[in-house]
Structures are given as structure tokens and as C-alpha cells.
Amino acid sequence: MKRVLAVASECVPLVKTGGLADVTGALPRAMAGTGWGVRTLIPGYRPVLAQAAKATEALSLGAFFGGPARILVLRHAGLDLLVLDAPHLFDRDGSPYLDAQGNDWADNDLRFAALCAAAARIAGGALDDWVPQVLHLHDWQAGLVPEYLAAQGTSLPVVMTIHNIAFHGLTTDDRIAALGLDPARFLPDGYEYYGHVSALKAGLVGADRITTVSPTYARELTTPEFGMGLDGMIRARQHLLTGILNGIDTDTWNPRKDPHIRRFQTPRGKAPNRKGLRAEFGLPDAPGPLAVVVSRLTAQKGLDLLLDAMPAFTGAGGQLALLGSGDRTLENAWLEAARDSDAVAVRIGYDETLAHRMFAGADAVLVPSRFEPCGLTQLYALRYGAVPVVARTGGLADTVIHANDAALRMGVATGMVHAPDDAAALAAALVDLCHLHASPEIWAHIQANGMRHPVGWEASSAQYGALYDALVS
Ligand code: ADP
């Protein structure tokens, strides 16, 4: 097996706040067929340390970023994990990034710098029996790795994947010494970003190849509208950039085997799940479509636009069940919408098994994002015979085929696609959805197309394998 070290801040099934964890948890298994063995370095958060009985110490790092630290080797859920056990940085309650009050941990810069420095040590051969040939860095939390590689004189090919360019991992320049960075590289063509330290930029500057999680997002990143201030430097590196679509874990997300639902093989088998979902959310039985949203509640996801479009949807006979958490203003606005309408029901929170029941019971899954690097919930929708209704942006545009007349005639339609960032367009799409749903034959045809649509990792893992191969040849 050829060897790649992935570096990430979250990984299913141990720790997840979003799609990044789904990817870092599923991709390693998918890579096995390509001849590449992946080990993934993750922080030793509390839920990770709960597995420590199964782990063995591979390396002591001594005093490391303010406290004792070591690297553990852990085999868990089919994954080969390397765990940075540094209790002073990671052994705490709360989410990977936020304290109980919802604020960023004040030492996030140090925590993920430590992760990067540990990765560099492993890349430099600190684990006697395993030295990677390629490094694969995920998002800003892994971005400083090239800086530490350069400082210790290690040269290894680096792939940097952008899962969401909205997060830069910025910190102030007075932290350069504490982070152990080379002050001479605090430059526009180094890790400096408008007077701040940018971990994401460090990764992009130091990478031999840059990937992102869909071809459309790869194009969008080069534009001021989507590049979040980094479009210029991405344009300069466009020759290094490719978009490789995310897949989903088709074992975990398999309606035939899912332990959380009434299992089904064809769209007809969704009926008892739909009934159960309506009951669970207190929605009345109704002939119209039951749509769901499972999402972080942030401006990115366009759920404020959906609030505006709700009267048109419910007026046309639609119902909505929403599961999400995040922005307090949005949470309250949705709770109010649920109070005002019998056709809207809302759960504020994060609930993985409820998410499975929602995709299984839904007629439609709504993803009206303003931008969406890849998006996973529309892929779960396809797999579970729910019709995705998505904004034409990023990976949403790459994974759903709009049910216009031509696509319906050709038998390839899998969902509905509307103009992004436009409440009126979203409302019109939702009214169209109700009309389509009223034509059982056409509806069943779209569902069946969706369930056949390939959403696994086969094609994309081969692309990553080819990318790694090109770097070591
Ligand atoms: P992002 O990473 O931007 O949040 P993705 O669509 O790529 O968006 O991935 C989101 C992942 O998190 C999906 O697996 C989705 O089902 C899950 N998810 C988001 N919010 C919730 C929630 N409130 N409860 C359960 N799962 C959620």
C-alpha cells in the first residue's frame, strides 16, 4: 500500500459538525481500492479519547504547545487514525471549535497549529514504522502544515482540499511566535493576509495541488463573488486546482439496510416512513408533498430565503419539517414560522438518527444555499428516493438534474434546480414541486432516477488516487 497522511479536525463517526467529517470518515475506506492506504491525524477531543482503551502510544511529543502531548494509534470503525493526545488543548466539553456559550475557543489558533506541527513531525519520519508519501490537508485547521514542513526541512507533496472557503483560520500577527511560525514568511506570498495570519492561505500557498469538492465550486472560487478574498491567489494557482465531487458513505446511507428507518428498496416503501415522520413532527396527514431541511442554520444555507418562500409553498399544499441549529436569530424565526403555520414543524438541535428518519420519510429535500461547495444532503435525498430542490450553485448544480420538459422527456431528471439567492425563484420552484407531486407517474419516475444516480465514492476516490500517483511519480 502507498501511504497518505490525511490531516483533519473532524472525522465520522467520532466527531462531526458538518460535511467535512462525512468526507474524512468515508474517503479512506473508498481509497483502499486505489492502492493508497490513508491514515488520518485528528485531535484527541473528548469523544475520541473515550476510545483510548483501544489505542497505543506511538510517539511522545514531550512539552508541545503548552503541555504534554503524544500521538496515539487507533483503529476505529474501519479507519486508521492517529490521534494528537494533548489534553490541555482538546480534552474539554463543547464542540471542536466552540465553547458551551457558542464562542470560538480563544486558543483555536494554538490548538490547530499543534495539529499541523504534529502532522509535520509524522511527515518527517517521527513514527519509525510509517512515513507518508503524500500529505492531504483538509481546510484551514490543517493549513499550517507546509509552514512547519518548511521549518524542519521536510519536502513531501501536499494536497490541500477546500471544503468551505468561508473559514480562513485567521489570527493576529502577535501570535506568530506562540504558534512557532517563521516571522520571515509573514508576507503576501506567505501566510500573511491583510495584516493577519491566515492558516488557510498558508495551506494554499504551500500546496502542490489544490482541490475542492465539486467542479462548479472550483470555478466559482476564482471569482470575487465566491472566493471570499482569496480569489486572486486562487486564480494565480488555477493550474493546480481541480474539483472532485464528494460522495457519501453508501453503507451508512443505505435505505435497504438503515437501522434507523423502516427499510425500503423502492420509493413506494417510503410511505410508512413518511407517516412516522409526520407523526413525529406533529404534522397532519395531507395529500401534498412533505419537504424536509436538515442543515446548519447560517446565512450560507439560504434558509432565510426559504422563510420568505414558505407561504407560497404551504399555500400550494406543501408541508415542511426542519431540523437544524446555529444562528439564534434564524432559529427563532423558524420557531415562529412553526407557531404560525400548521404546515411547518421545526426541531432545533443536532440529531443524526432523526436526520436518517427525515430523509427516509421526505418527499423532497430542500437545499436553497447561497453557496455550497458540494453539499451532502441532496445526495442523501437522491439515495432515499426524496426529490432534491436545490439552488444552482457549487456541488448542488453538479449533482441534481433539473426536471424541465427536456430532462423529463429524456428520462434523466432527478430533482429541481432554481436560481440561487432569490426567494421568488425558490417560491416558484416549490409551487412547481407541488404540481409535479400531483402527477404520480412523473413523480415516481423522478424518484426512481434519483435512487439510481451514483452517489458513492467510486469515481472520486479514483480521481484522488490519480492525483496522489501523479505527485509521487
Ligand atoms: P456543511 O458541511 O456545510 O454543514 P453538508 O451538506 O456538506 O453541509 O454536510 C452537512 C452534514 O451535516 C450532513 O451530513 C447533514 O445531514 C448533517 N447535519 C447538518 N445539520 C444537522 C442537524 N441539525 N442534525 C443532524 N445532522 C445534521
PDB file of all heavy atoms in Angstrom, residues 16-20 22 164 246 253 294-296 300-301 323-325 349-352 355 359 372-378 380, ligand 1:
ATOM      1  N   LYS A  16     -18.195  15.149  14.516  1.00  0.00           N
ATOM      2  CA  LYS A  16     -18.739  15.740  13.298  1.00  0.00           C
ATOM      3  C   LYS A  16     -19.487  17.016  13.591  1.00  0.00           C
ATOM      4  O   LYS A  16     -20.311  17.062  14.505  1.00  0.00           O
ATOM      5  CB  LYS A  16     -19.703  14.738  12.643  1.00  0.00           C
ATOM      6  CG  LYS A  16     -20.626  15.328  11.584  1.00  0.00           C
ATOM      7  CD  LYS A  16     -21.371  14.272  10.807  1.00  0.00           C
ATOM      8  CE  LYS A  16     -22.491  14.898   9.984  1.00  0.00           C
ATOM      9  NZ  LYS A  16     -23.205  13.935   9.149  1.00  0.00           N
ATOM     10  N   THR A  17     -19.159  18.077  12.833  1.00  0.00           N
ATOM     11  CA  THR A  17     -20.033  19.248  12.850  1.00  0.00           C
ATOM     12  C   THR A  17     -20.627  19.503  11.478  1.00  0.00           C
ATOM     13  O   THR A  17     -21.555  20.285  11.346  1.00  0.00           O
ATOM     14  CB  THR A  17     -19.304  20.542  13.299  1.00  0.00           C
ATOM     15  OG1 THR A  17     -18.435  20.969  12.247  1.00  0.00           O
ATOM     16  CG2 THR A  17     -18.513  20.342  14.572  1.00  0.00           C
ATOM     17  N   GLY A  18     -20.093  18.862  10.446  1.00  0.00           N
ATOM     18  CA  GLY A  18     -20.614  19.098   9.103  1.00  0.00           C
ATOM     19  C   GLY A  18     -20.055  18.102   8.106  1.00  0.00           C
ATOM     20  O   GLY A  18     -19.482  17.061   8.482  1.00  0.00           O
ATOM     21  N   GLY A  19     -20.194  18.460   6.832  1.00  0.00           N
ATOM     22  CA  GLY A  19     -19.844  17.544   5.752  1.00  0.00           C
ATOM     23  C   GLY A  19     -18.378  17.121   5.736  1.00  0.00           C
ATOM     24  O   GLY A  19     -18.054  16.018   5.284  1.00  0.00           O
ATOM     25  N   LEU A  20     -17.491  17.981   6.237  1.00  0.00           N
ATOM     26  CA  LEU A  20     -16.067  17.628   6.290  1.00  0.00           C
ATOM     27  C   LEU A  20     -15.865  16.274   6.978  1.00  0.00           C
ATOM     28  O   LEU A  20     -15.093  15.424   6.520  1.00  0.00           O
ATOM     29  CB  LEU A  20     -15.307  18.736   7.040  1.00  0.00           C
ATOM     30  CG  LEU A  20     -13.870  18.430   7.463  1.00  0.00           C
ATOM     31  CD1 LEU A  20     -12.981  18.198   6.243  1.00  0.00           C
ATOM     32  CD2 LEU A  20     -13.310  19.577   8.306  1.00  0.00           C
ATOM     33  N   ASP A  22     -17.991  13.814   7.302  1.00  0.00           N
ATOM     34  CA  ASP A  22     -18.503  12.722   6.465  1.00  0.00           C
ATOM     35  C   ASP A  22     -17.439  12.314   5.448  1.00  0.00           C
ATOM     36  O   ASP A  22     -17.227  11.138   5.177  1.00  0.00           O
ATOM     37  CB  ASP A  22     -19.770  13.165   5.725  1.00  0.00           C
ATOM     38  CG  ASP A  22     -20.976  13.317   6.649  1.00  0.00           C
ATOM     39  OD1 ASP A  22     -21.303  12.373   7.374  1.00  0.00           O
ATOM     40  OD2 ASP A  22     -21.577  14.402   6.650  1.00  0.00           O
ATOM     41  N   ASN A 164     -14.692  24.502   2.484  1.00  0.00           N
ATOM     42  CA  ASN A 164     -15.501  25.719   2.584  1.00  0.00           C
ATOM     43  C   ASN A 164     -14.556  26.888   2.763  1.00  0.00           C
ATOM     44  O   ASN A 164     -13.908  27.012   3.802  1.00  0.00           O
ATOM     45  CB  ASN A 164     -16.462  25.623   3.773  1.00  0.00           C
ATOM     46  CG  ASN A 164     -17.504  26.724   3.740  1.00  0.00           C
ATOM     47  OD1 ASN A 164     -17.284  27.776   3.134  1.00  0.00           O
ATOM     48  ND2 ASN A 164     -18.629  26.483   4.370  1.00  0.00           N
ATOM     49  N   ASN A 246     -17.631  15.248  -3.855  1.00  0.00           N
ATOM     50  CA  ASN A 246     -17.782  14.347  -2.715  1.00  0.00           C
ATOM     51  C   ASN A 246     -18.766  13.237  -3.039  1.00  0.00           C
ATOM     52  O   ASN A 246     -19.712  13.435  -3.801  1.00  0.00           O
ATOM     53  CB  ASN A 246     -18.333  15.104  -1.501  1.00  0.00           C
ATOM     54  CG  ASN A 246     -17.283  15.962  -0.825  1.00  0.00           C
ATOM     55  OD1 ASN A 246     -16.080  15.727  -0.989  1.00  0.00           O
ATOM     56  ND2 ASN A 246     -17.724  16.940  -0.072  1.00  0.00           N
ATOM     57  N   TRP A 253     -25.568   5.211   4.598  1.00  0.00           N
ATOM     58  CA  TRP A 253     -26.756   5.822   3.994  1.00  0.00           C
ATOM     59  C   TRP A 253     -27.306   4.864   2.941  1.00  0.00           C
ATOM     60  O   TRP A 253     -27.101   5.051   1.761  1.00  0.00           O
ATOM     61  CB  TRP A 253     -26.400   7.185   3.401  1.00  0.00           C
ATOM     62  CG  TRP A 253     -25.965   8.168   4.441  1.00  0.00           C
ATOM     63  CD1 TRP A 253     -24.690   8.462   4.827  1.00  0.00           C
ATOM     64  CD2 TRP A 253     -26.827   8.967   5.283  1.00  0.00           C
ATOM     65  NE1 TRP A 253     -24.706   9.387   5.839  1.00  0.00           N
ATOM     66  CE2 TRP A 253     -26.001   9.724   6.141  1.00  0.00           C
ATOM     67  CE3 TRP A 253     -28.211   9.118   5.391  1.00  0.00           C
ATOM     68  CZ2 TRP A 253     -26.517  10.610   7.083  1.00  0.00           C
ATOM     69  CZ3 TRP A 253     -28.712  10.007   6.333  1.00  0.00           C
ATOM     70  CH2 TRP A 253     -27.873  10.741   7.160  1.00  0.00           C
ATOM     71  N   VAL A 294     -32.422  19.528   6.564  1.00  0.00           N
ATOM     72  CA  VAL A 294     -31.502  19.119   7.639  1.00  0.00           C
ATOM     73  C   VAL A 294     -30.241  19.944   7.424  1.00  0.00           C
ATOM     74  O   VAL A 294     -29.524  19.737   6.441  1.00  0.00           O
ATOM     75  CB  VAL A 294     -31.168  17.620   7.572  1.00  0.00           C
ATOM     76  CG1 VAL A 294     -30.177  17.250   8.681  1.00  0.00           C
ATOM     77  CG2 VAL A 294     -32.427  16.774   7.681  1.00  0.00           C
ATOM     78  N   SER A 295     -29.974  20.907   8.326  1.00  0.00           N
ATOM     79  CA  SER A 295     -28.936  21.880   7.970  1.00  0.00           C
ATOM     80  C   SER A 295     -28.440  22.684   9.157  1.00  0.00           C
ATOM     81  O   SER A 295     -29.149  22.849  10.147  1.00  0.00           O
ATOM     82  CB  SER A 295     -29.538  22.865   6.954  1.00  0.00           C
ATOM     83  OG  SER A 295     -28.592  23.810   6.537  1.00  0.00           O
ATOM     84  N   ARG A 296     -27.212  23.160   9.028  1.00  0.00           N
ATOM     85  CA  ARG A 296     -26.777  24.247   9.896  1.00  0.00           C
ATOM     86  C   ARG A 296     -27.643  25.457   9.557  1.00  0.00           C
ATOM     87  O   ARG A 296     -27.975  25.677   8.380  1.00  0.00           O
ATOM     88  CB  ARG A 296     -25.308  24.581   9.632  1.00  0.00           C
ATOM     89  CG  ARG A 296     -24.347  23.484  10.037  1.00  0.00           C
ATOM     90  CD  ARG A 296     -22.888  23.906   9.886  1.00  0.00           C
ATOM     91  NE  ARG A 296     -22.479  24.059   8.497  1.00  0.00           N
ATOM     92  CZ  ARG A 296     -22.063  25.197   7.964  1.00  0.00           C
ATOM     93  NH1 ARG A 296     -21.946  26.284   8.691  1.00  0.00           N
ATOM     94  NH2 ARG A 296     -21.700  25.250   6.698  1.00  0.00           N
ATOM     95  N   GLN A 300     -25.238  31.127   4.912  1.00  0.00           N
ATOM     96  CA  GLN A 300     -24.820  30.348   3.737  1.00  0.00           C
ATOM     97  C   GLN A 300     -25.962  29.497   3.190  1.00  0.00           C
ATOM     98  O   GLN A 300     -26.129  29.331   1.990  1.00  0.00           O
ATOM     99  CB  GLN A 300     -23.645  29.416   4.101  1.00  0.00           C
ATOM    100  CG  GLN A 300     -23.295  28.450   2.977  1.00  0.00           C
ATOM    101  CD  GLN A 300     -22.335  27.331   3.396  1.00  0.00           C
ATOM    102  OE1 GLN A 300     -21.651  27.434   4.391  1.00  0.00           O
ATOM    103  NE2 GLN A 300     -22.282  26.274   2.611  1.00  0.00           N
ATOM    104  N   LYS A 301     -26.752  28.933   4.095  1.00  0.00           N
ATOM    105  CA  LYS A 301     -27.700  27.894   3.704  1.00  0.00           C
ATOM    106  C   LYS A 301     -29.000  28.440   3.113  1.00  0.00           C
ATOM    107  O   LYS A 301     -29.856  27.657   2.684  1.00  0.00           O
ATOM    108  CB  LYS A 301     -27.990  26.981   4.895  1.00  0.00           C
ATOM    109  CG  LYS A 301     -26.740  26.277   5.441  1.00  0.00           C
ATOM    110  CD  LYS A 301     -26.141  25.287   4.426  1.00  0.00           C
ATOM    111  CE  LYS A 301     -24.906  24.590   4.971  1.00  0.00           C
ATOM    112  NZ  LYS A 301     -24.371  23.593   4.035  1.00  0.00           N
ATOM    113  N   LEU A 323     -34.959  20.417  10.593  1.00  0.00           N
ATOM    114  CA  LEU A 323     -34.051  20.096  11.701  1.00  0.00           C
ATOM    115  C   LEU A 323     -32.777  20.907  11.503  1.00  0.00           C
ATOM    116  O   LEU A 323     -32.135  20.799  10.453  1.00  0.00           O
ATOM    117  CB  LEU A 323     -33.710  18.599  11.700  1.00  0.00           C
ATOM    118  CG  LEU A 323     -32.548  18.159  12.607  1.00  0.00           C
ATOM    119  CD1 LEU A 323     -32.862  18.382  14.087  1.00  0.00           C
ATOM    120  CD2 LEU A 323     -32.188  16.686  12.361  1.00  0.00           C
ATOM    121  N   GLY A 324     -32.414  21.708  12.490  1.00  0.00           N
ATOM    122  CA  GLY A 324     -31.189  22.478  12.326  1.00  0.00           C
ATOM    123  C   GLY A 324     -30.855  23.255  13.577  1.00  0.00           C
ATOM    124  O   GLY A 324     -31.653  23.365  14.497  1.00  0.00           O
ATOM    125  N   SER A 325     -29.640  23.766  13.585  1.00  0.00           N
ATOM    126  CA  SER A 325     -29.244  24.642  14.683  1.00  0.00           C
ATOM    127  C   SER A 325     -28.145  25.557  14.182  1.00  0.00           C
ATOM    128  O   SER A 325     -27.515  25.297  13.149  1.00  0.00           O
ATOM    129  CB  SER A 325     -28.749  23.824  15.878  1.00  0.00           C
ATOM    130  OG  SER A 325     -27.594  23.105  15.516  1.00  0.00           O
ATOM    131  N   GLY A 349     -31.763  21.687  16.903  1.00  0.00           N
ATOM    132  CA  GLY A 349     -30.825  20.749  17.524  1.00  0.00           C
ATOM    133  C   GLY A 349     -30.036  20.012  16.460  1.00  0.00           C
ATOM    134  O   GLY A 349     -30.156  20.309  15.257  1.00  0.00           O
ATOM    135  N   TYR A 350     -29.202  19.112  16.927  1.00  0.00           N
ATOM    136  CA  TYR A 350     -28.407  18.288  16.026  1.00  0.00           C
ATOM    137  C   TYR A 350     -28.722  16.835  16.361  1.00  0.00           C
ATOM    138  O   TYR A 350     -28.539  16.410  17.503  1.00  0.00           O
ATOM    139  CB  TYR A 350     -26.908  18.565  16.221  1.00  0.00           C
ATOM    140  CG  TYR A 350     -26.077  17.882  15.180  1.00  0.00           C
ATOM    141  CD1 TYR A 350     -25.684  18.548  14.033  1.00  0.00           C
ATOM    142  CD2 TYR A 350     -25.744  16.537  15.320  1.00  0.00           C
ATOM    143  CE1 TYR A 350     -24.969  17.901  13.048  1.00  0.00           C
ATOM    144  CE2 TYR A 350     -25.029  15.885  14.336  1.00  0.00           C
ATOM    145  CZ  TYR A 350     -24.644  16.574  13.208  1.00  0.00           C
ATOM    146  OH  TYR A 350     -23.948  15.917  12.231  1.00  0.00           O
ATOM    147  N   ASP A 351     -29.251  16.071  15.427  1.00  0.00           N
ATOM    148  CA  ASP A 351     -29.719  14.724  15.731  1.00  0.00           C
ATOM    149  C   ASP A 351     -29.501  13.828  14.513  1.00  0.00           C
ATOM    150  O   ASP A 351     -30.276  13.838  13.551  1.00  0.00           O
ATOM    151  CB  ASP A 351     -31.197  14.774  16.126  1.00  0.00           C
ATOM    152  CG  ASP A 351     -31.713  13.441  16.635  1.00  0.00           C
ATOM    153  OD1 ASP A 351     -31.148  12.392  16.263  1.00  0.00           O
ATOM    154  OD2 ASP A 351     -32.693  13.457  17.396  1.00  0.00           O
ATOM    155  N   GLU A 352     -28.431  13.057  14.582  1.00  0.00           N
ATOM    156  CA  GLU A 352     -28.015  12.227  13.447  1.00  0.00           C
ATOM    157  C   GLU A 352     -29.085  11.176  13.070  1.00  0.00           C
ATOM    158  O   GLU A 352     -29.386  10.996  11.896  1.00  0.00           O
ATOM    159  CB  GLU A 352     -26.707  11.537  13.851  1.00  0.00           C
ATOM    160  CG  GLU A 352     -25.932  10.874  12.754  1.00  0.00           C
ATOM    161  CD  GLU A 352     -25.072  11.829  11.936  1.00  0.00           C
ATOM    162  OE1 GLU A 352     -24.658  12.893  12.446  1.00  0.00           O
ATOM    163  OE2 GLU A 352     -24.833  11.495  10.769  1.00  0.00           O
ATOM    164  N   ALA A 355     -32.088  12.652  11.476  1.00  0.00           N
ATOM    165  CA  ALA A 355     -31.775  13.012  10.086  1.00  0.00           C
ATOM    166  C   ALA A 355     -32.048  11.819   9.161  1.00  0.00           C
ATOM    167  O   ALA A 355     -32.652  11.975   8.093  1.00  0.00           O
ATOM    168  CB  ALA A 355     -30.325  13.471   9.972  1.00  0.00           C
ATOM    169  N   PHE A 359     -34.774  11.889   5.951  1.00  0.00           N
ATOM    170  CA  PHE A 359     -34.538  11.608   4.529  1.00  0.00           C
ATOM    171  C   PHE A 359     -35.423  10.445   4.069  1.00  0.00           C
ATOM    172  O   PHE A 359     -35.912  10.431   2.944  1.00  0.00           O
ATOM    173  CB  PHE A 359     -33.056  11.314   4.269  1.00  0.00           C
ATOM    174  CG  PHE A 359     -32.173  12.508   4.527  1.00  0.00           C
ATOM    175  CD1 PHE A 359     -31.204  12.479   5.524  1.00  0.00           C
ATOM    176  CD2 PHE A 359     -32.335  13.672   3.795  1.00  0.00           C
ATOM    177  CE1 PHE A 359     -30.404  13.587   5.783  1.00  0.00           C
ATOM    178  CE2 PHE A 359     -31.544  14.794   4.043  1.00  0.00           C
ATOM    179  CZ  PHE A 359     -30.574  14.747   5.046  1.00  0.00           C
ATOM    180  N   GLU A 372     -22.553  26.598  -1.994  1.00  0.00           N
ATOM    181  CA  GLU A 372     -22.498  25.250  -1.438  1.00  0.00           C
ATOM    182  C   GLU A 372     -21.362  24.482  -2.117  1.00  0.00           C
ATOM    183  O   GLU A 372     -21.489  24.041  -3.257  1.00  0.00           O
ATOM    184  CB  GLU A 372     -23.821  24.529  -1.682  1.00  0.00           C
ATOM    185  CG  GLU A 372     -23.994  23.242  -0.883  1.00  0.00           C
ATOM    186  CD  GLU A 372     -23.904  23.479   0.628  1.00  0.00           C
ATOM    187  OE1 GLU A 372     -24.861  23.999   1.227  1.00  0.00           O
ATOM    188  OE2 GLU A 372     -22.834  23.168   1.187  1.00  0.00           O
ATOM    189  N   PRO A 373     -20.216  24.371  -1.430  1.00  0.00           N
ATOM    190  CA  PRO A 373     -19.058  23.712  -2.054  1.00  0.00           C
ATOM    191  C   PRO A 373     -19.425  22.374  -2.697  1.00  0.00           C
ATOM    192  O   PRO A 373     -19.132  22.145  -3.864  1.00  0.00           O
ATOM    193  CB  PRO A 373     -18.095  23.549  -0.880  1.00  0.00           C
ATOM    194  CG  PRO A 373     -18.418  24.728   0.016  1.00  0.00           C
ATOM    195  CD  PRO A 373     -19.903  24.923  -0.106  1.00  0.00           C
ATOM    196  N   CYS A 374     -20.032  21.479  -1.951  1.00  0.00           N
ATOM    197  CA  CYS A 374     -20.577  20.264  -2.559  1.00  0.00           C
ATOM    198  C   CYS A 374     -22.008  20.069  -2.067  1.00  0.00           C
ATOM    199  O   CYS A 374     -22.956  20.069  -2.835  1.00  0.00           O
ATOM    200  CB  CYS A 374     -19.739  19.025  -2.229  1.00  0.00           C
ATOM    201  SG  CYS A 374     -20.461  17.546  -2.975  1.00  0.00           S
ATOM    202  N   GLY A 375     -22.155  19.938  -0.751  1.00  0.00           N
ATOM    203  CA  GLY A 375     -23.473  19.619  -0.206  1.00  0.00           C
ATOM    204  C   GLY A 375     -23.637  18.117  -0.165  1.00  0.00           C
ATOM    205  O   GLY A 375     -23.267  17.411  -1.122  1.00  0.00           O
ATOM    206  N   LEU A 376     -24.130  17.622   0.933  1.00  0.00           N
ATOM    207  CA  LEU A 376     -24.329  16.176   1.058  1.00  0.00           C
ATOM    208  C   LEU A 376     -25.803  15.822   1.165  1.00  0.00           C
ATOM    209  O   LEU A 376     -26.208  14.741   0.742  1.00  0.00           O
ATOM    210  CB  LEU A 376     -23.586  15.649   2.291  1.00  0.00           C
ATOM    211  CG  LEU A 376     -22.063  15.774   2.230  1.00  0.00           C
ATOM    212  CD1 LEU A 376     -21.444  15.320   3.551  1.00  0.00           C
ATOM    213  CD2 LEU A 376     -21.500  14.945   1.076  1.00  0.00           C
ATOM    214  N   THR A 377     -26.616  16.731   1.719  1.00  0.00           N
ATOM    215  CA  THR A 377     -27.995  16.315   1.991  1.00  0.00           C
ATOM    216  C   THR A 377     -28.775  16.060   0.694  1.00  0.00           C
ATOM    217  O   THR A 377     -29.678  15.221   0.688  1.00  0.00           O
ATOM    218  CB  THR A 377     -28.733  17.332   2.893  1.00  0.00           C
ATOM    219  OG1 THR A 377     -28.714  18.605   2.278  1.00  0.00           O
ATOM    220  CG2 THR A 377     -28.085  17.425   4.258  1.00  0.00           C
ATOM    221  N   GLN A 378     -28.396  16.732  -0.404  1.00  0.00           N
ATOM    222  CA  GLN A 378     -29.092  16.416  -1.661  1.00  0.00           C
ATOM    223  C   GLN A 378     -28.707  15.022  -2.151  1.00  0.00           C
ATOM    224  O   GLN A 378     -29.485  14.366  -2.851  1.00  0.00           O
ATOM    225  CB  GLN A 378     -28.807  17.497  -2.723  1.00  0.00           C
ATOM    226  CG  GLN A 378     -27.513  17.363  -3.499  1.00  0.00           C
ATOM    227  CD  GLN A 378     -26.293  17.863  -2.715  1.00  0.00           C
ATOM    228  OE1 GLN A 378     -26.363  18.098  -1.509  1.00  0.00           O
ATOM    229  NE2 GLN A 378     -25.181  18.027  -3.385  1.00  0.00           N
ATOM    230  N   TYR A 380     -27.999  12.453  -0.020  1.00  0.00           N
ATOM    231  CA  TYR A 380     -28.818  11.546   0.807  1.00  0.00           C
ATOM    232  C   TYR A 380     -30.236  11.498   0.239  1.00  0.00           C
ATOM    233  O   TYR A 380     -30.871  10.435   0.204  1.00  0.00           O
ATOM    234  CB  TYR A 380     -28.876  12.014   2.268  1.00  0.00           C
ATOM    235  CG  TYR A 380     -27.543  12.167   2.957  1.00  0.00           C
ATOM    236  CD1 TYR A 380     -27.334  13.167   3.901  1.00  0.00           C
ATOM    237  CD2 TYR A 380     -26.489  11.303   2.687  1.00  0.00           C
ATOM    238  CE1 TYR A 380     -26.115  13.320   4.540  1.00  0.00           C
ATOM    239  CE2 TYR A 380     -25.266  11.463   3.321  1.00  0.00           C
ATOM    240  CZ  TYR A 380     -25.086  12.471   4.236  1.00  0.00           C
ATOM    241  OH  TYR A 380     -23.884  12.626   4.872  1.00  0.00           O
TER     242      TYR A 380
HETATM  243  P1  ADP B   1     -21.994  21.657   5.725  1.00  0.00           P
HETATM  244  O1  ADP B   1     -20.757  20.831   5.823  1.00  0.00           O
HETATM  245  O2  ADP B   1     -21.797  22.997   5.094  1.00  0.00           O
HETATM  246  O3  ADP B   1     -22.731  21.783   7.023  1.00  0.00           O
HETATM  247  P2  ADP B   1     -23.020  19.489   4.059  1.00  0.00           P
HETATM  248  O4  ADP B   1     -24.311  19.324   3.336  1.00  0.00           O
HETATM  249  O5  ADP B   1     -21.763  19.256   3.285  1.00  0.00           O
HETATM  250  O6  ADP B   1     -23.037  20.937   4.739  1.00  0.00           O
HETATM  251  O7  ADP B   1     -22.953  18.481   5.286  1.00  0.00           O
HETATM  252  C1  ADP B   1     -23.809  18.619   6.387  1.00  0.00           C
HETATM  253  C2  ADP B   1     -23.820  17.305   7.129  1.00  0.00           C
HETATM  254  O8  ADP B   1     -24.254  17.536   8.468  1.00  0.00           O
HETATM  255  C3  ADP B   1     -24.811  16.312   6.552  1.00  0.00           C
HETATM  256  O9  ADP B   1     -24.363  15.004   6.858  1.00  0.00           O
HETATM  257  C4  ADP B   1     -26.095  16.647   7.319  1.00  0.00           C
HETATM  258  O10 ADP B   1     -27.008  15.579   7.340  1.00  0.00           O
HETATM  259  C5  ADP B   1     -25.534  16.928   8.688  1.00  0.00           C
HETATM  260  N1  ADP B   1     -26.335  17.841   9.508  1.00  0.00           N
HETATM  261  C6  ADP B   1     -26.400  19.191   9.421  1.00  0.00           C
HETATM  262  N2  ADP B   1     -27.205  19.693  10.369  1.00  0.00           N
HETATM  263  C7  ADP B   1     -27.669  18.641  11.067  1.00  0.00           C
HETATM  264  C8  ADP B   1     -28.540  18.505  12.194  1.00  0.00           C
HETATM  265  N3  ADP B   1     -29.101  19.554  12.770  1.00  0.00           N
HETATM  266  N4  ADP B   1     -28.784  17.257  12.671  1.00  0.00           N
HETATM  267  C9  ADP B   1     -28.215  16.179  12.077  1.00  0.00           C
HETATM  268  N5  ADP B   1     -27.394  16.239  11.022  1.00  0.00           N
HETATM  269  C10 ADP B   1     -27.112  17.449  10.526  1.00  0.00           C
END
